[in-house]
Amino acid sequence: MRHDLGGLLFVALGLVLVAVGFVWRGRVLRPLSAKRANAAAIRDRSRSLLRSADMAIGEARRRAARGEPVIVRVDDVTRVASGHYGLDVEREEAAVALRQRYEAADCRRDCMTDAFD
């Protein structure tokens, strides 16, 4: 009888832990307020757009032949953002991101872009 009580207690404790895990996981995935959720979505979109600009610069550098200038277009950034992250990005938004990453990657020495037009 004692053995059965221990097994039952073990199963009950396991079920309690599983229930607590489901509740805890739900709280982590759902933000507490709509304001925080909106701020997180904006940060994620901005981060993805900057990564898209970095990827477009890297792709253009790989495409360029030795001795040729690297040409990075705003359209490349919008294509990468759409293809990799599913973002629908306006041209001006992509140009701003490309200008930021262009300056950060020190592209003035070997790159050309239409982001400054």
Side-chain angles (χ1 to χ4, degrees), residues 56-65 70 72 105-107 109-111:
I57 291 170
E59 186 179 304
R61 282 187 167 159
R62 285 188 295 276
R63 275 193 321 243
V70 176
V72 185
D106 194 26
C107 285
R109 59 188 167 90
D110 66 342
C111 297

Side-chain angles (χ1 to χ4, degrees), residues 63-77:
R63 275 193 321 243
R66 176 170 270 197
E68 281 186 358
V70 176
I71 300 172
V72 185
R73 291 180 168 56
V74 175
D75 295 334
D76 296 336
V77 177

